[in-house]
Amino acid sequence: MDDRVLARVAAAIEARKTAAPDASYVASLLQKGDNAILKKIGEEATETVMAAKDGDKLSLVHEVADLWFHCLVLLASRGLGPQDVLAELARREGVSGLDEKANRNG
C-alpha cells in the first residue's frame, strides 16, 4: 500500500481547481461553493454511518473513501491539504484523547 495516495489525490484536486466546471467534478463542485461542498460531506457522512450500521465492510470502505475525498475538496477550497490534518494528528499522537479534548480552546 502506498501511503502517499492522499498527497496524490490532493494534488489532483488542486490541479482540477482551475479546470472547466463542465469537464471536472471537482471544479464544478468548487464553483457551486461552500454549501454544495458541505452538503456533499454531510451526504457522504450519512452514507458512511449507514454502511457501518449495515455491517457491509466493502460499502463502508467505499463510503469512507467518498467522505475523505470530499473532505479533501473542502480542505483544498481553504488552501489546506492532507498534510495539515496529518500534522495535527501527529501533534496529538501519544496524547490521551480525553486529555486532548479537555485541553482544546473553545
Side-chain angles (χ1 to χ4, degrees):
M1 179 63 61
D2 186 346
D3 62 358
R4 295 169 293 178
V5 69
L6 284 176
R8 288 195 306 272
V9 171
I13 290 169
E14 195 63 35
R16 292 179 183 142
K17 284 169 70 172
T18 58
D22 61 344
S24 166
Y25 172 73
V26 169
S28 68
L29 190 56
L30 290 168
Q31 183 184 47
K32 292 175 187 173
D34 286 351
N35 286 341
I37 297 167
L38 298 173
K39 180 179 177 186
K40 237 2 231 181
I41 289 173
E43 290 171 4
E44 298 303 344
T46 299
E47 290 171 4
T48 298
V49 169
M50 297 309 296
K53 287 182 66 84
D54 291 344
D56 183 341
K57 290 181 180 181
L58 185 57
S59 289
L60 178 59
V61 169
H62 289 167
E63 296 304 339
V64 170
D66 288 346
L67 178 58
W68 286 13
F69 176 82
H70 288 91
C71 287
L72 289 172
V73 172
L74 175 63
L75 289 168
S77 76
R78 301 294 200 275
L80 299 167
Q83 71 282 358
D84 298 295
V85 177
L86 293 172
E88 176 60 14
L89 289 172
R91 184 191 68 77
R92 295 180 187 186
E93 192 172 12
V95 176
S96 158
L98 295 174
D99 290 342
E100 195 282 327
K101 187 172 180 178
N103 290 327
R104 285 186 198 165
N105 294 343

